[in-house]
Amino acid sequence: GQGHRWSNPLHPATVKTKQPFPSPPSPPPPPLAGAVPVGGRTFASPYARTLAAEKGVDINAVQGTGPGGRVVARDVTTAGTLLPATPTTVLPGATYTDIDLSNMRKTIADRLLLSKQTIPHYYLTVDVQMDQVISLRKEFNRLLEAETEGVKLSVNDFIIKASALAMRTVPEVNSSWMGDYIRRYHSVDVCVAVSTDKGLITPIVTSAEIKGLKAISSEVKELAEKARSGKLKPQEFQGGTFTISNLGMFGIKQFAAVINPPQSCILAVGATQKTVVVDKNSSNDRGQSFATADMMSVTLSCDHRVVDGAVGAEWMQTFKSLMEKPTTMLL
C-alpha cells in the first residue's frame, strides 16, 4: 500500500552490521619446569638429547623454551653452564675407550669423505707378470752392493718409475678436476702412501718421470723415514699429481684405493704371487702348456669427470707393458 517502500528482491538492501572486535590471542602456556608431562617423559628434540648426552646434562632437569615446553638445543647449552654435570650412564655391554682425534686423523677423515662424496670413482684391474722385474731387480742390486750408499732397489721403485712413464704416454691421467676446468700437470709428482703411528701420509717423489731407479729408491727411503719420525716438510707431502698405495707386503692380493683429491687417479698394488699361466713360448702340438709365473694384481681408481674409461684402460695397458718389459724404462 501507500507509505511503504518495497525492496527489489533482485537487489536486496545492504544492511551494515557491526562486527565485534576480534579477541586477542591467548598467551602461550608457560614453559613447563623440566618439560616433564604426565607420564614422566621429557619432550625434547633429538639434537637436544644428543647434546645433553655429550655435555653430561640431565635432560629431565632442563627447562624447555620450545613449543609446549619442549627442550631444544639452546636450553641444553644454557643449562650446561648452570647445572652440575651428570655422569654419563654406561649401558651394559662391551667395554670401550674413547680416543681423541689427532689433527692428522681429522684431516684424513675429512679428505677421504670429501673424495667418496664428490668424486665419481670407477675401477680398473689388471694382472701384471713380474718375472722380468724380479730378475732385473736382482741384477741391479748385485751391481749396487759395492757402492757405499747401500742402495737396494725395491719392486715399488719400479712401480713408481713405470707409473710416471705411463703418465707421459697418457697425460690425461696426470690431471685434476678444478670445477670449471681440468688442470693438466707438466711433471709427474708421485705420492707414495706411508703408514705411520699417527695415520697415513703420502710423501711426494717429484718429477719421477725423469729420475732413475736409484734416485727414486733413495728418495722414497728418506721420505719414509721422515714421515715416520714426523719430520716431513709441508712441501714434501702436500700436493702431488698421482698416488700409489701398496699393501702387497701384507699379503693383500687386491684392493681398491680412495682417490686423493684433487688428483684424478690412485693405483692400488697387491701382493706378487706364484700363479699358473699359459706358457706362451710353448710349441706343443697337442695343445697349450702351462707354467708358473709371478703375478701382481693392480687396481686403478679413476675420477670419471677427468679420466674416461678408455683413457684409464690405455694407461693401464702402458703401465703393464712397462712392468712386464722393464728394460724399456731405460730407453
Side-chain angles (χ1 to χ4, degrees):
Q2 295 182 356
H4 295 279
R5 176 176 295 178
W6 297 93
S7 298
N8 187 338
L10 300 177
H11 296 84
T14 302
V15 180
K16 294 183 179 180
T17 59
K18 188 175 182 180
Q19 299 293 331
F21 289 105
S23 302
S26 302
L32 303 176
V36 182
V38 177
R41 181 174 178 272
T42 299
F43 290 145
S45 69
Y47 179 56
R49 291 183 181 278
T50 302
L51 198 61
E54 291 176 353
K55 292 180 173 292
V57 173
D58 183 1
I59 195 75
N60 297 313
V62 179
Q63 181 168 328
T65 60
R70 182 183 179 90
V71 177
V72 293
R74 65 173 177 269
D75 302 326
V76 177
T77 303
T78 302
T81 62
L82 302 175
L83 301 176
T86 304
T88 304
T89 303
V90 179
L91 298 177
T95 60
Y96 59 87
T97 301
D98 294 329
I99 301 172
D100 293 333
L101 296 177
S102 65
N103 290 333
M104 179 181 287
R105 178 53 57 187
K106 289 179 182 177
T107 301
I108 292 171
D110 291 342
R111 289 180 63 79
L112 294 184
L113 183 63
L114 172 69
S115 177
K116 292 299 285 186
Q117 287 184 333
T118 63
I119 297 178
H121 287 59
Y122 72 91
Y123 310 96
L124 302 171
T125 301
V126 296
D127 291 327
V128 180
Q129 190 165 336
M130 297 292 291
D131 296 85
Q132 290 194 36
V133 164
I134 293 171
S135 176
L136 188 60
R137 173 179 173 256
K138 289 180 180 178
E139 183 180 345
F140 281 172
N141 282 337
R142 278 196 299 268
L143 296 174
L144 292 171
E145 281 179 354
E147 297 192 11
T148 54
E149 293 92 341
V151 176
K152 189 174 182 180
L153 301 181
S154 69
V155 170
N156 211 48
D157 300 329
F158 286 85
I159 293 171
I160 294 170
K161 182 64 176 178
S163 297
L165 291 178
M167 292 287 195
R168 287 204 306 200
T169 304
V170 191
E172 294 90 341
V173 174
N174 197 37
S175 306
S176 292
W177 178 264
M178 305 303 292
D180 296 328
Y181 57 93
I182 293 173
R183 175 174 292 166
R184 185 173 298 176
Y185 302 101
H186 298 154
S187 64
V188 184
D189 299 336
V190 179
C191 299
V192 182
V194 175
S195 179
T196 71
D197 293 339
K198 296 181 180 179
L200 192 70
I201 194 166
T202 52
I204 307 166
V205 179
T206 58
S207 302
E209 78 279 12
I210 62 173
K211 290 178 178 176
L213 290 166
K214 179 181 173 183
I216 290 174
S217 181
S218 299
E219 192 169 338
V220 168
K221 288 180 176 64
E222 181 182 353
L223 289 170
E225 290 175 3
K226 285 185 176 181
R228 294 188 178 101
S229 60
K231 296 180 180 179
L232 281 175
K233 298 175 182 178
Q235 65 269 22
E236 292 177 322
F237 67 91
Q238 293 178 357
T241 64
F242 183 77
T243 298
I244 296 172
S245 180
N246 192 337
L247 294 179
M249 67 286 293
F250 299 107
I252 303 300
K253 185 181 186 304
Q254 178 187 334
F255 69 103
V258 180
I259 294 172
N260 182 17
Q263 299 171 14
S264 60
C265 291
I266 182 171
L267 186 69
V269 181
T272 299
Q273 298 177 332
K274 288 285 186 184
T275 307
V276 177
V277 297
V278 175
D279 188 356
K280 297 179 182 179
N281 299 321
S282 173
S283 58
N284 191 341
D285 295 335
R286 291 175 296 178
Q288 292 179 332
S289 61
F290 300 91
T292 58
D294 290 299
M295 303 297 295
M296 178 183 72
S297 179
V298 294
T299 299
L300 184 69
S301 303
C302 303
D303 181 347
H304 215 319
R305 298 172 302 178
V306 182
V307 180
D308 290 333
V311 175
E314 183 184 357
W315 187 93
M316 287 291 268
Q317 286 180 337
T318 305
F319 172 81
K320 176 181 170 71
S321 177
L322 288 166
M323 290 295 293
E324 293 186 340
K325 298 179 179 178
T327 52
T328 57
M329 299 187 203
L330 308 176
L331 297 177

